[in-house]
Amino acid sequence: MPAGATRRWFTHSWPEAWRVVWMVVPTWPMVDGDAQIEWKVQVDRQAAGLLKYFIEIRNVTNVQVDIEARFAVLN
């Protein structure tokens, strides 16, 4: 993610019965200090029984940050 940038991605066709949690983790640079990124997740019903997730990620630093989006299905 470029310094100060905000980007948005989507991922589709998730079964509505799944309880999905999204997390975004900075992978580089390794900094033990203030937060490097912020993210929010939005969802819409794409079709009967299917969900689409939108993940918006913001780099809150003045340097490029590499990221990894992760998910967990809780049920």
Side-chain angles (χ1 to χ4, degrees):
M1 294 278 307
T6 300
R7 299 284 189 269
R8 186 175 173 162
W9 290 269
F10 71 91
T11 180
H12 60 86
S13 302
W14 291 80
E16 73 171 335
W18 289 9
R19 303 300 180 247
V20 180
V21 175
W22 288 93
M23 179 183 300
V24 181
V25 178
T27 58
W28 189 260
M30 294 182 191
V31 175
D32 184 14
D34 294 334
Q36 294 169 286
I37 57 167
E38 295 176 344
W39 76 93
K40 68 179 178 180
V41 177
Q42 296 173 302
V43 63
D44 80 359
R45 182 165 302 279
Q46 148 185 6
L50 295 176
L51 300 177
K52 182 188 295 183
Y53 291 94
F54 298 87
I55 299 105
E56 184 174 285
I57 304 167
R58 183 167 75 103
N59 179 348
V60 297
T61 73
N62 61 358
V63 298
Q64 179 170 322
V65 175
D66 295 342
I67 60 167
E68 179 177 278
R70 301 175 180 178
F71 68 91
V73 178
L74 301 181
N75 56 332

